[in-house]
Amino acid sequence: MDFHQSASERFAEQVFKYIIKKFDGKTINTEECNLDLMIKNLPEGFDDFDLEECIPQETQEENNDPSPEEFQDNIDSPKKQKKVKKDKKDKKKKQSEENPDKPKRKPNAFIVFRTDPDNLDAIIEKAEETNEETGKKYGKVKAAGILWNALTQEEQAKWK
């Protein structure tokens, strides 16, 4: 994999191999193997010197294997199964089918106001009016909301 290295990386690797060969088996930071001694033992004319010449051919052959080691994944990881999303409509149907005897929630005051037959004429009249901003008709629900918001708190409390 030397082709991935820059010149400085190759040079540093050669220096490292030379020091390993020269100080093999010695303990670092002792009198027989310290930084000053390592620097003194480097060949003179170090910038122009090819350190590959100092390393015996046997160690070079060991480092340059003809077939590079290939990565093989030996970890068996379980495959994740995709979760199937349920539709919201299906959930609502299932909930209603699960407990048909469940009591219905009491409608709020607005729903009672909107469904009251006495208010139906006023809601239809308002629904036929056109919205000034959009130029479209309001529609029954929007019209009921407009009429509901026009009521005072006391009048809204009457519908609870």
Side-chain angles (χ1 to χ4, degrees), residues 62-85:
E62 292 172 7
N63 293 336
N64 297 329
D65 292 334
S67 60
E69 183 178 337
E70 293 182 20
F71 175 76
Q72 293 180 356
D73 187 12
N74 59 356
I75 299 173
D76 294 331
S77 57
K79 293 182 180 178
K80 293 182 181 179
Q81 295 178 352
K82 292 184 180 179
K83 294 182 180 179
V84 178
K85 292 185 179 181

Side-chain angles (χ1 to χ4, degrees), residues 108-110 112-113 116 119 148 151 155-160:
N108 63 19
F110 173 72
V112 173
F113 171 79
D116 189 51
N119 298 327
W148 176 256
L151 297 176
E155 291 172 333
Q156 287 181 0
K158 182 177 93 171
W159 293 100
K160 291 185 180 180

Side-chain angles (χ1 to χ4, degrees), residues 37-74:
L37 198 58
M38 288 180 193
I39 293 172
K40 286 180 186 175
N41 279 308
L42 288 175
E44 290 189 26
F46 190 66
D47 294 336
D48 302 328
F49 189 71
D50 185 15
L51 293 175
E52 290 288 335
E53 297 171 0
C54 298
I55 301 172
Q57 293 297 327
E58 299 165 358
T59 36
Q60 284 184 2
E61 290 173 7
E62 292 172 7
N63 293 336
N64 297 329
D65 292 334
S67 60
E69 183 178 337
E70 293 182 20
F71 175 76
Q72 293 180 356
D73 187 12
N74 59 356

